[in-house]
Amino acid sequence: MLDTELDDEQRDHAETILESSNALLAIINDILDFSKVEAGRLELEVIDFDLRIAIEEVLDLLAVRAQEKGLEIASLVEPGVPSRVKGDPGRLRQILINLVSNAIKFTEHGEVIIHATLDQESEHLSTIRFAVTDTGIGIPKDRMDRLFKSFSQVDSSTTRRYGGTGLGLAISMQLANLMGGEIGVESEEGKGSTFWFTCRLEHQRGADTEEEFPLEPIEGQRILVVDDNQTNRAVLSQQLNRWGCHCEVVADGRSALDAIRVRASAGTPFDLVLIDSLMPEMDGQQLASAIRADAVLGDPVLVMITSSARRGEASRFHELGFVAYLTKPVKRSQLYDCLRAALGTRRHGESEKPQRLITRHSVVERKKYTKRILVAEDNPINQKVALRVIEKLGYRADAVANGMEAVSAVKRLPYDLILMDGQMPEMDGIEATRIIRQGESGAKRRIPIVALTAHAMQGDRDRYIAAGMDDYLAKPLQPRELAEMIERYVGDGTTVPEIPKERPGKGSRKPVFNRRALLARLDNDTELFDELVQVFLADCDAQFGRMRSALSQRDATSLSRLAHTLKGSALNVEAGDIADSARTLEASAAKQDWELVDAALKDVELALQKFKSVIVVS
């Protein structure tokens, strides 16, 4: 309803309904968790996950809430803290979300920070200390003893300002205890609070070498789908057939055993069986036991798909010999990656059952471990766009501001792709590429390098290719084109996220600010939109000051370069007037026509003032 056209009163009612529903849902979830604690039925999962990514997900979830109050929110994970651990990422996030949510709730100004440090470490375990610090109202000393008690709050009056069930901290204490840790608080009224907790997490096997199962192509693989739901069978078989698999579907466990037996006796056994957990007569667990108990049926890879995930269930299925465990609804790309990794366990030579269970967490995290991209770009707007697209695609990325830093970064880390700006201070992209290619001489590995350039003419493209670059992208960067380029060189064949292309505007006249075009190009990412505009305004003011200085010193080279940078930034935020004025200034400075330079700089200043007025009005 909120995505439709509503008048002010209707929107107010709809938003009230949504807020009230979310509040009630939070209360119900707290009470359900508390009832499990009281009954001793609260279970923990033990699966592989990435600790740093789990913390990032908490920040992503709560960032908007913090930004609405004007708060800074960030995390600091000390270098000694292991990333690849085993435990319950959901429950860990639950504690962090509760503590960070409380910190945001009770903080009006300042910041909320998550700080993770290594408390103790043994060969197989690490005890991690998490501290959530805020600059909020603090807690009176005489009321701190009631914090972790059930249905208890610091302010229990009927006129209290802040809502809640009084269960969140009590549940967090139980969860921390279950994870082998403890919880506490340090606070001073009026100066903020630090809630901390510890938990013990196992080390992943082979984490120090980042060992992963190899990815096996799924084209031509024989796969059996076992699911009593007709729609699920149709969806899965359609996807598998599109990927070139030989797929069969059955509706129950008995039919599955018959199909596996027929295939095995014919000498064409199934490579993998996708099994639904909840089926009548014979469920997924019983079917897996029957398959493993009968040697005649062969040894297909087993993958569990469930619509009713329960904590502790994944570990139980792992013991039964399942290689992977996914929850419905399964994303297409996750299923694809999961099947490739699951099939790869056979080539990995696992004897009885794999040491590591493949889950949606490990599927998502895999890309972030195995692929790393370097963005060499001095323009802050282009950096922001590139890093956001890379983040959405799920890869790791680093950014540097010139060619010298790019060359140094490549010596330190094995990058899988470099996005290289053609024009940068100190050392441009062409020279940096030549040095990188010289360093690769005789090596088996060659890093793909894609030029980011405002010059898309054939002659310019030839210069980039001659320098050793593999491809090029014209500025301003279009997120979908950038995503396609990245997937072309480091992707695994899965679908590129749908980032719509910019719709061309009517007529040739460029507006002062084309808000609609920028939002469309950013896939309606309003957070990135606001961030880019703020970065652009700050950069404009700084650039304009440098331009005045360059003009007073008659430094044509610096003035031309500054105008070129401003032009690129303006094009990136759809500020047409500023881009046109900067283009004129760049050309005038190159000719050292100081009368034209002076006039062009005044035009840049006027265009910038118009842009600021449009931003304020909108």
Side-chain angles (χ1 to χ4, degrees):
M1 188 187 299
L2 287 167
D3 288 333
T4 64
E5 289 192 15
L6 304 171
D7 61 36
D8 291 343
E9 184 179 6
Q10 291 170 330
R11 181 165 299 279
D12 182 59
H13 289 327
E15 287 175 349
T16 300
I17 291 169
L18 181 63
E19 290 168 7
S20 301
S21 301
N22 286 331
L24 287 171
L25 187 61
I27 292 171
I28 291 168
N29 285 334
D30 279 351
I31 292 173
L32 287 173
D33 272 344
F34 183 70
S35 68
K36 291 177 183 177
V37 171
E38 292 288 282
R41 297 289 300 276
L42 198 63
E43 295 183 351
L44 294 181
E45 200 74 88
V46 182
I47 60 175
D48 294 339
F49 72 100
D50 182 281
L51 185 60
R52 284 171 169 77
I53 293 173
I55 293 172
E56 289 170 3
E57 288 172 346
V58 172
L59 294 183
D60 288 342
L61 186 65
L62 299 174
V64 172
R65 199 181 305 175
Q67 289 163 4
E68 286 174 349
K69 298 185 72 173
L71 303 176
E72 291 289 333
I73 183 170
S75 66
L76 174 62
V77 182
E78 296 294 342
V81 176
S83 284
R84 306 184 69 180
V85 293
K86 291 171 72 78
D88 193 326
R91 291 303 189 187
L92 177 65
R93 281 194 296 264
Q94 184 176 351
I95 300 176
L96 285 172
I97 288 170
N98 181 52
L99 297 184
V100 175
S101 295
N102 281 346
I104 293 171
K105 184 194 299 184
F106 295 106
T107 303
E108 296 302 325
H109 307 285
E111 63 185 22
V112 174
I113 306 295
I114 300 175
H115 189 192
T117 55
L118 182 62
D119 200 27
Q120 296 179 20
E121 188 172 38
S122 65
E123 184 180 356
H124 302 294
L125 288 172
S126 287
T127 300
I128 314 299
R129 186 181 192 273
F130 299 89
V132 177
T133 301
D134 64 62
T135 54
I137 61 176
I139 303 165
K141 287 185 178 180
D142 61 344
R143 299 184 185 179
M144 289 177 66
D145 59 342
R146 69 178 67 178
L147 281 172
F148 298 100
K149 294 180 180 179
S150 307
F151 299 102
S152 177
Q153 294 179 320
V154 171
D155 179 9
S156 57
S157 67
T158 56
T159 59
R160 70 178 189 266
R161 178 180 175 186
Y162 305 100
T165 61
L167 286 175
L169 289 176
I171 294 169
S172 295
M173 183 177 69
Q174 295 288 343
L175 291 175
N177 292 339
L178 277 174
M179 290 190 285
E182 54 185 344
I183 194 168
V185 60
E186 300 160 7
S187 183
E188 184 175 348
E189 190 172 5
K191 294 186 177 180
S193 307
T194 296
F195 281 83
W196 60 268
F197 70 97
T198 59
C199 68
R200 285 204 304 264
L201 297 170
E202 298 177 37
H203 299 160
Q204 289 182 25
R205 186 179 69 89
D208 54 338
T209 58
E210 293 197 357
E211 178 182 336
E212 290 283 355
F213 294 135
L215 294 177
E216 185 79 6
I218 66 173
E219 186 177 2
Q221 302 281 355
R222 292 181 289 271
I223 297 179
L224 175 66
V225 174
V226 189
D227 197 318
D228 62 311
N229 185 285
Q230 183 177 357
T231 301
N232 288 338
R233 293 197 303 272
V235 170
L236 288 170
S237 63
Q238 183 183 68
Q239 294 289 8
L240 293 169
N241 287 327
R242 283 183 177 177
W243 292 330
C245 301
H246 302 298
C247 176
E248 292 183 28
V249 296
V250 293
D252 57 73
R254 298 295 176 193
S255 301
L257 291 173
D258 292 340
I260 296 170
R261 190 171 288 110
V262 169
R263 277 283 190 180
S265 62
T268 56
F270 286 108
D271 299 297
L272 183 144
V273 183
L274 271 169
I275 302 175
D276 180 37
S277 63
L278 299 177
M279 295 183 292
E281 297 185 22
M282 179 183 287
D283 62 21
Q285 181 176 329
Q286 293 168 326
L287 175 57
S289 298
I291 293 172
R292 291 298 183 229
D294 192 342
V296 176
L297 299 180
D299 189 27
V301 173
L302 302 183
V303 175
M304 170 63 70
I305 300 183
T306 179
S307 57
S308 59
R310 296 184 179 90
R311 295 189 180 275
E313 199 174 55
S315 299
R316 187 168 67 253
F317 287 136
H318 190 205
E319 291 297 323
L320 286 170
F322 281 94
V323 167
Y325 174 87
L326 295 176
T327 54
K328 299 177 182 177
V330 181
K331 292 182 179 179
R332 180 175 178 270
S333 59
Q334 282 185 2
L335 177 63
Y336 183 86
D337 289 341
C338 172
L339 295 182
R340 292 188 68 195
L343 289 164
T345 60
R346 295 181 308 174
R347 197 175 70 185
H348 197 63
E350 297 289 350
S351 51
E352 297 175 357
K353 66 180 180 64
Q355 294 293 319
R356 298 181 56 200
L357 183 69
I358 298 165
T359 66
R360 61 187 177 89
H361 301 287
S362 60
V363 166
V364 170
E365 291 159 6
R366 184 183 183 91
K367 281 183 179 179
K368 298 190 177 186
Y369 285 125
T370 57
K371 303 293 183 183
R372 193 171 201 132
I373 298 169
L374 178 65
V375 179
E377 169 65 72
D378 68 315
N379 186 305
I381 305 295
N382 284 329
Q383 265 196 17
K384 290 280 185 185
V385 172
L387 291 174
R388 181 59 65 93
V389 170
I390 293 168
E391 176 190 331
K392 284 186 175 182
L393 292 174
Y395 302 112
R396 291 183 292 179
D398 300 310
V400 295
N402 61 58
M404 291 177 65
E405 292 178 2
V407 171
S408 177
V410 170
K411 291 178 180 177
R412 292 195 308 269
L413 291 169
Y415 288 99
D416 297 280
L417 175 67
I418 301 173
L419 302 173
M420 184 80 78
D421 182 24
Q423 293 184 318
M424 291 182 289
E426 297 189 49
M427 180 185 290
D428 64 21
I430 289 179
E431 181 61 24
T433 299
R434 288 196 181 109
I435 294 173
I436 292 170
R437 292 298 183 227
Q438 288 170 5
E440 292 174 337
S441 179
K444 294 181 180 179
R445 188 172 179 274
R446 184 180 189 277
I447 309 172
I449 300 177
V450 174
L452 306 179
T453 175
H455 304 293
M457 303 296 290
Q458 183 62 41
D460 297 308
R461 186 181 188 281
D462 291 342
R463 283 195 306 125
Y464 296 130
I465 300 300
M469 296 185 179
D470 300 274
D471 219 321
Y472 80 102
L473 271 173
K475 297 179 185 178
L477 294 179
Q478 305 292 331
R480 177 164 184 83
E481 293 175 2
L482 177 58
E484 288 173 345
M485 185 67 74
I486 291 170
E487 288 294 299
R488 182 183 306 168
Y489 285 99
V490 298
D492 54 10
T494 52
T495 306
V496 175
E498 289 297 326
I499 303 174
K501 294 183 179 179
E502 172 193 344
R503 296 178 181 176
K506 295 180 180 180
S508 58
R509 182 178 178 274
K510 293 181 180 178
V512 173
F513 177 45
N514 194 335
R515 173 183 292 272
R516 181 177 296 178
L518 180 58
L519 270 172
R521 188 152 57 81
L522 299 178
D523 191 23
N524 288 315
D525 187 334
T526 54
E527 182 183 343
L528 179 58
F529 174 92
D530 292 337
E531 194 174 346
L532 288 187
V533 170
Q534 293 306 315
V535 169
F536 174 68
L537 286 171
D539 189 54
C540 272
D541 290 337
Q543 295 279 42
F544 192 75
R546 296 189 193 103
M547 287 177 185
R548 283 188 177 279
S549 177
L551 175 59
S552 66
Q553 297 172 26
R554 291 295 193 262
D555 185 349
T557 302
S558 296
L559 192 54
S560 180
R561 180 175 56 79
L562 288 166
H564 176 82
T565 301
L566 179 60
K567 177 185 68 177
S569 297
L571 289 171
N572 264 303
V573 297
E574 302 293 339
D577 271 6
I578 296 177
D580 287 343
S581 300
R583 185 180 291 109
T584 303
L585 178 59
E586 180 185 9
S588 302
K591 296 175 183 176
Q592 297 191 35
D593 188 329
W594 298 110
E595 186 176 343
L596 287 178
V597 166
D598 187 61
L601 189 57
K602 289 178 181 176
D603 286 344
V604 169
E605 184 177 21
L606 180 61
L608 179 56
Q609 289 172 354
K610 288 180 181 177
F611 181 83
K612 287 180 177 179
S613 67
V614 169
I615 290 294
V616 170
V617 170
S618 56

